[in-house]
């Protein structure tokens, strides 16, 4: 199966190892992974800030960079949600309406694609410890992804996934929200991390690097004994032990 890979800005610039983990997972699942190096942003930062004309220009480039008749997979529910939902505002009844709809129907967040399209949930991963799963707002509310990441994580050897309080509450990042409302944003991150530490979790796992950046920043600032990990990196952990 041919799959086009979309790597969002956060992962490209800050977490490139997550991009390589995504490629490894898709290849292990039997996919022929294609990456277009001309790809850039999906336009979400401009869109969320109200600069829709600029977001359209970036979105048009995205539509040109990817094929209409191929699966597109991204290790980000946030960017996937932008394309599936935000592009309705930008391109409905435009000259690229049909092309946009075709791409929207073919783009998937990684865990959604692995479980619901490829029907695979075991990749031989091993990670010893306890973890909580953070439902990112985009995954849960925009992409309707809830059970898929949990199903994948239950197949990771040595890992116990435990519930925590307010599991579905926002981490406080919210793109420009973290800049405009720094105090509120930091308090939300603190609450999320305290809830994870209350159940003695070693890891906070999520589908979105933007959430993990927010939480890891608070963790590093306060030197707390907990780590964040993207689900793609978890699912490729311990392969050397196989």
């Amino acid at each position: 199966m041919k799959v086009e890979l979309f790597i969002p800005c956060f992962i490209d610039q800050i977490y490139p190892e997550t991009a390589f983990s995504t490629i490894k997972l898709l290849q292990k699942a039997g996919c022929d992974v294609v990456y277009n190096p001309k790809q850039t942003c999906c336009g979400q930062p401009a869109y969320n800030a109200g600069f829709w004309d600029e977001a359209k220009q970036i979105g048009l480039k995205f539509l040109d960079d990817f094929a209409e008749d191929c699966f597109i997979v991204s290790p980000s529910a946030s960017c996937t949600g932008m394309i599936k939902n935000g592009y309705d505002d930008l391109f409905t009844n435009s000259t690229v309406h049909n092309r946009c709809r075709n791409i929207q129907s073919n783009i998937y967040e990684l865990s959604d694609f692995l479980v619901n399209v490829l029907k695979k949930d075991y990749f031989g991963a091993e990670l010893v410890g306890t973890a909580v799963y953070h439902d990112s707002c985009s995954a849960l509310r925009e992409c309707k992804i809830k059970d898929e990441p949990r199903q994948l994580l239950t197949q990771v050897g040595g890992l116990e996934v435990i519930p925590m309080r307010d599991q579905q509450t926002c981490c406080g990042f919210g793109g420009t929200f973290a800049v405009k409302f720094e105090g509120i944003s930091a308090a939300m991150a603190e609450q999320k991390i305290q809830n994870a530490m209350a159940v003695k979790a070693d890891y906070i796992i999520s589908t979105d690097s933007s959430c993990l950046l927010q939480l890891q920043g608070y963790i590093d600032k306060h030197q707390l004994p907990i780590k964040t990990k993207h689900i793609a990196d978890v699912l490729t952990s311990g392969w050397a032990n196989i």
Side-chain angles (χ1 to χ4, degrees), residues 41-85:
C41 179
C42 66
Q44 183 176 187
Y47 174 83
N48 287 345
F51 296 99
W52 283 21
D53 289 340
E54 289 79 0
K56 283 182 182 180
Q57 293 303 311
I58 301 170
L60 286 170
K61 184 181 187 309
F62 181 93
L63 296 178
D64 287 338
D65 286 340
F66 292 90
E68 294 182 65
D69 57 351
C70 182
F71 286 117
I72 304 166
V73 178
S74 178
S76 168
S78 177
C79 294
T80 301
M82 168 64 189
I83 294 155
K84 283 185 171 293
N85 301 290

Side-chain angles (χ1 to χ4, degrees), residues 43-129:
Q44 183 176 187
Y47 174 83
N48 287 345
F51 296 99
W52 283 21
D53 289 340
E54 289 79 0
K56 283 182 182 180
Q57 293 303 311
I58 301 170
L60 286 170
K61 184 181 187 309
F62 181 93
L63 296 178
D64 287 338
D65 286 340
F66 292 90
E68 294 182 65
D69 57 351
C70 182
F71 286 117
I72 304 166
V73 178
S74 178
S76 168
S78 177
C79 294
T80 301
M82 168 64 189
I83 294 155
K84 283 185 171 293
N85 301 290
Y87 277 22
D88 287 347
D89 293 325
L90 302 180
F91 301 117
T92 296
N93 296 328
S94 70
T95 57
V96 295
H97 177 100
N98 291 338
R99 179 174 181 79
C100 180
R101 291 295 179 270
N102 290 335
I103 287 178
Q104 285 177 312
S105 65
N106 286 334
I107 190 166
Y108 287 83
E109 181 274 331
L110 177 63
S111 67
D112 185 16
F113 185 74
L114 294 175
V115 172
N116 294 321
V117 178
L118 297 183
K119 310 297 183 184
K120 294 180 182 292
D121 60 12
Y122 177 72
F123 295 92
E126 293 182 6
L127 181 65
V128 177

Side-chain angles (χ1 to χ4, degrees), residues 119-229:
K119 310 297 183 184
K120 294 180 182 292
D121 60 12
Y122 177 72
F123 295 92
E126 293 182 6
L127 181 65
V128 177
T130 58
V132 292
Y133 175 73
H134 164 61
D135 289 284
S136 77
C137 296
S138 296
L140 187 65
R141 296 170 178 86
E142 287 192 316
C143 298
K144 312 303 179 186
I145 295 167
K146 181 178 181 181
D147 296 331
E148 293 85 354
R150 291 172 171 84
Q151 180 177 335
L152 290 162
L153 292 173
T154 59
Q155 300 296 323
V156 177
L159 185 66
E160 180 186 7
V161 181
I162 52 180
M164 66 173 171
R165 183 180 177 184
D166 298 330
Q167 194 151 310
Q168 299 176 3
T169 300
C170 178
C171 69
F173 180 70
T176 55
F177 177 86
V179 178
K180 293 180 178 178
F181 305 99
E182 179 183 356
I184 300 173
S185 173
M188 294 172 74
E190 178 183 21
Q191 183 182 58
K192 176 69 66 172
I193 292 163
Q194 286 181 345
N195 288 340
M197 293 183 66
V199 295
K200 296 180 171 55
D202 300 305
Y203 303 100
I204 301 174
I205 300 171
S206 184
T207 56
D208 281 88
S209 292
S210 51
C211 296
L212 300 178
L213 178 71
Q214 161 86 347
L215 297 174
Q216 191 65 52
Y218 187 92
I219 290 168
D220 291 344
K221 181 178 180 179
H222 298 277
Q223 299 180 332
L224 301 175
I226 191 169
K227 297 178 181 178
T228 60
K229 288 185 79 71

Side-chain angles (χ1 to χ4, degrees), residues 4-18:
E4 291 193 335
L5 182 66
F6 171 45
I7 299 300
C9 309
F10 267 103
I11 293 176
D12 178 61
Q13 296 296 313
I14 304 174
Y15 299 107
E17 67 278 3
T18 300

